[in-house]
Amino acid sequence: MGKVTGFLEFQRIKESYEAPAARLKHWREFVHTLSDEEAKVQGARCMDCGIPFCSNGCPVNNVIPDWNDLVYRQDWRRALDVLHSTNNFPEFTGRVCPAPCEAACTLNINDDAVGIKSIEHAIIDKGWREGWVTPQPPQRKTGKKVAVVGSGPSGLACAQQLARAGHAVTVFEKSNRIGGLLRYGIPDFKLEKSHIDRRLAQMEAEGVEFQPSTYVGDAAHAEDGLTVLSPEALRADFDAVVLTGGAEQPRDLPVPGRELRGVHFAMDFLRQQNKVNNGDRVEKQISAKGRHVIVIGGGDTGSDCVGTSNRQGALSVTQFELMSKLPEVENRPLTWPYWPAKLRTSSSHEEGCERDWAVSTRAFEGKNGKVEKLAAARVEWFKDKATGQLKMREKEGSQFELPADLVLLAMGFVSPVKHVLDAFGVELDARGNARADTDSYRTSVDKVFAAGDMRRGQSLIVWAIREGRQCARAVDEFLMGASTLPR
């Protein structure tokens, strides 16, 4: 609980950033981790609130008050053990999780929440520096083999848990490197890939095998140069198969001019830059250099496009959001302890970006097959009296145009890629995800499980890790009849 009166004595300390002018010149992380003393002060602010709503607000159910108290007492080694007891990869979540735990912090009712995410970041970074993060190979082998298809946070968490239980785990990934959207979906300035590499080294020492550049499914859908494995072969060779791919089907914008060159899905743009940063050569890379960039979509992916465009040397960056502008400060007594709808300004926005809300794209226009401008209009939202649903209508006379040499569609993802699930023959839910519950995680096909975005749809990294861990326990129970793995 930290210091009894700490929340009265100390203010929230935020992690500091490298200045925008400096960080725009490179692709490295620019957030400065709290010092030991700063983290101690933040830990001291954790109050004896009785019910730790922060833990309930955290999808992986981190035991937050315990490691806050341990950091306050400067017992960093035990703090790391408590952190790892619920989260396989706190160096990922400590960097890119939006911190729903802080929204649920009791102190957040009428004050600034405890800096939980910054403390987590400090604990794991210190753990790596001190050499406390080491492989945990199993004491015995079970003789059972598990295939994990997809190497994002859900697949990696599932694989690590199963390997520590003694199973022989192989992770299959269609990309040329392991990491899924951690590797190719999140810019390096938010998550340097060395953090992934050292976890992979730990997992290999624990017995996990990785097979990148391997496509599992129908060969007709595989890119050239990939090894192709059929679902039937995988089921025959392994005792269990876990599907943990991402929700990779992006939401499109079917308006006139969508076919013009220069209109791209956000992930195609981000993936290419990440590949270049990883040392790959990308032919005809999508580039924002010297261009007027418009990002359509106001979420994290859109924000990542803003930061990437500015680093590439865009002339201007504008970000549109279809919904109305949210308040900068939420009504805390009304929303706490739930995740509030409020305006969020990222570090990428602070680096340079025009933002606009309640804007609908009407068309893309250009010459010689290349986009040159965007036609849009302002909209207003209203509640339909008959149905109670929120609906949108265009404001009369609000049409406008903007120059646009590059348009990035960052409007979220609708489902996993359908042909992957079709290849396994698993039953789908109404949203196109693999149908499986959160007790057994079993799909309609024998020996096949699903977790993470493949099962729940587009979500947060913390939900992916949670589902990977829970699915690992379900698989262990399926294989052994019982499990000591935590949920």
Side-chain angles (χ1 to χ4, degrees):
M1 60 168 280
K3 186 178 182 182
V4 176
T5 57
F7 70 98
L8 297 172
E9 298 175 32
F10 307 118
Q11 299 299 310
R12 177 184 171 101
I13 302 175
K14 295 182 179 180
E15 293 174 316
S16 61
Y17 293 174
E18 185 179 355
R23 68 188 191 232
L24 282 174
K25 297 178 181 178
H26 61 76
W27 295 93
R28 301 184 304 275
E29 292 178 11
F30 52 81
V31 178
H32 301 144
T33 310
L34 296 182
S35 67
D36 288 6
E37 184 60 31
E38 289 172 333
K40 176 180 179 179
V41 170
Q42 277 306 289
R45 298 184 69 237
C46 189
M47 27 186 334
D48 186 14
C49 58
I51 300 175
F53 288 92
C54 55
S55 295
N56 190 55
C58 172
V60 294
N61 300 124
N62 278 330
V63 193
I64 294 165
D66 290 34
W67 43 259
N68 278 346
D69 180 66
L70 289 166
V71 168
Y72 166 63
R73 301 179 190 284
Q74 298 290 278
D75 191 345
W76 290 89
R77 184 65 182 268
R78 287 181 62 199
L80 180 66
D81 291 341
V82 174
L83 181 55
H84 268 144
S85 70
T86 56
N87 186 353
N88 296 68
F89 312 120
E91 64 270 41
F92 304 158
T93 55
R95 285 169 166 82
V96 300
C97 177
C101 55
E102 294 187 12
C105 173
T106 301
L107 195 54
N108 193 50
I109 296 174
N110 63 350
D111 200 349
D112 291 332
V114 174
I116 299 168
K117 180 178 173 180
S118 63
I119 298 174
E120 177 184 29
H121 188 180
I123 294 171
I124 186 58
D125 279 15
K126 189 177 184 69
W128 281 109
R129 287 196 306 271
E130 298 293 334
W132 297 335
V133 185
T134 57
Q136 299 178 34
Q139 296 296 316
R140 60 180 180 83
K141 295 288 188 177
T142 65
K144 301 292 186 179
K145 296 170 59 181
V146 182
V148 176
V149 182
S151 67
S154 181
L156 293 180
C158 185
Q160 185 169 59
Q161 292 294 96
L162 287 170
R164 290 175 175 178
H167 305 304
V169 182
T170 303
V171 177
F172 298 92
E173 168 60 50
K174 65 182 178 181
S175 295
N176 62 335
R177 293 183 180 86
I178 298 297
L181 290 179
L182 288 170
R183 174 78 64 179
Y184 289 134
I186 300 174
D188 284 20
F189 56 81
K190 289 176 64 176
L191 178 68
E192 291 181 11
K193 306 319 176 214
S194 58
H195 303 301
I196 304 173
D197 294 336
R198 62 186 180 188
R199 275 296 177 185
L200 298 183
Q202 179 198 39
M203 292 175 66
E204 286 182 323
E206 294 170 348
V208 178
E209 295 185 8
F210 297 104
Q211 290 194 22
S213 301
T214 303
Y215 180 83
V216 179
D218 186 345
H221 297 287
E223 296 180 5
D224 294 340
L226 298 183
T227 300
V228 179
L229 292 177
S230 70
E232 293 75 21
L234 218 59
R235 291 178 61 207
D237 291 344
F238 291 86
D239 299 294
V241 177
V242 186
L243 306 179
T244 60
E248 296 182 283
Q249 188 65 50
R251 181 172 285 106
D252 208 342
L253 186 59
V255 298
R258 170 63 181 87
E259 74 286 352
L260 292 171
R261 296 193 311 277
V263 182
H264 302 276
F265 287 119
M267 287 310 304
D268 294 337
F269 172 68
L270 296 174
R271 185 179 292 111
Q272 288 187 0
Q273 184 59 56
N274 280 335
K275 282 182 172 290
V276 170
N277 289 348
N278 272 259
D280 293 349
R281 294 187 64 182
V282 176
E283 297 293 333
K284 298 180 180 180
Q285 180 187 357
I286 304 167
S287 177
K289 185 176 181 179
R291 295 181 174 178
H292 295 288
V293 180
I294 294 182
V295 179
I296 301 177
D300 287 341
T301 302
S303 170
D304 293 344
C305 288
V306 171
T308 300
S309 296
N310 279 323
R311 281 164 178 77
Q312 289 183 350
L315 282 179
S316 67
V317 183
T318 303
Q319 184 177 24
F320 288 156
E321 168 59 58
L322 184 63
M323 303 302 294
S324 301
K325 185 177 181 179
L326 295 169
E328 294 189 14
V329 179
E330 74 274 26
N331 185 338
R332 292 180 177 179
L334 179 65
T335 61
W336 180 89
Y338 301 107
W339 184 248
K342 68 175 184 178
L343 180 65
R344 289 177 169 83
T345 298
S346 72
S347 58
S348 291
H349 293 139
E350 294 169 350
E351 293 164 359
C353 173
E354 292 294 326
R355 304 170 72 186
D356 208 345
W357 292 265
V359 173
S360 175
T361 301
R362 306 178 82 234
F364 305 115
E365 300 176 12
K367 294 178 182 178
N368 302 318
K370 177 72 174 67
V371 68
E372 291 185 343
K373 61 182 178 180
L374 177 146
R378 302 198 176 278
V379 298
E380 57 185 1
W381 292 87
F382 66 98
K383 184 173 288 187
D384 185 272
K385 293 182 179 179
T387 65
Q389 294 179 329
L390 201 61
K391 292 188 176 182
M392 176 188 75
R393 61 189 169 211
E394 189 175 298
K395 290 184 177 180
E396 186 176 351
S398 67
Q399 295 84 3
F400 65 97
E401 295 179 346
L402 283 177
D405 305 309
L406 176 62
V407 178
L408 301 172
L409 308 181
M411 302 173 295
F413 302 86
V414 294
S415 68
V417 178
K418 189 174 186 296
H419 58 71
V420 174
L421 296 176
D422 287 346
F424 279 88
V426 300
E427 183 181 344
L428 307 182
D429 64 16
R431 297 184 298 151
N433 305 316
R435 185 182 295 279
D437 61 42
T438 54
D439 290 323
S440 70
Y441 284 89
R442 296 179 66 172
T443 70
S444 58
V445 177
D446 185 41
K447 299 201 304 185
V448 178
F449 299 73
D453 288 5
M454 188 72 80
R455 191 203 69 83
R456 66 179 290 119
Q458 176 190 358
S459 192
L460 303 176
I461 182 175
V462 276
W463 277 109
I465 293 173
R466 172 194 173 122
E467 294 223 343
R469 288 171 60 90
Q470 289 189 339
C471 184
R473 179 183 173 92
V475 172
D476 192 33
E477 288 177 334
F478 168 75
L479 296 174
M480 308 303 293
S483 178
T484 58
L485 289 174
R487 279 183 61 84

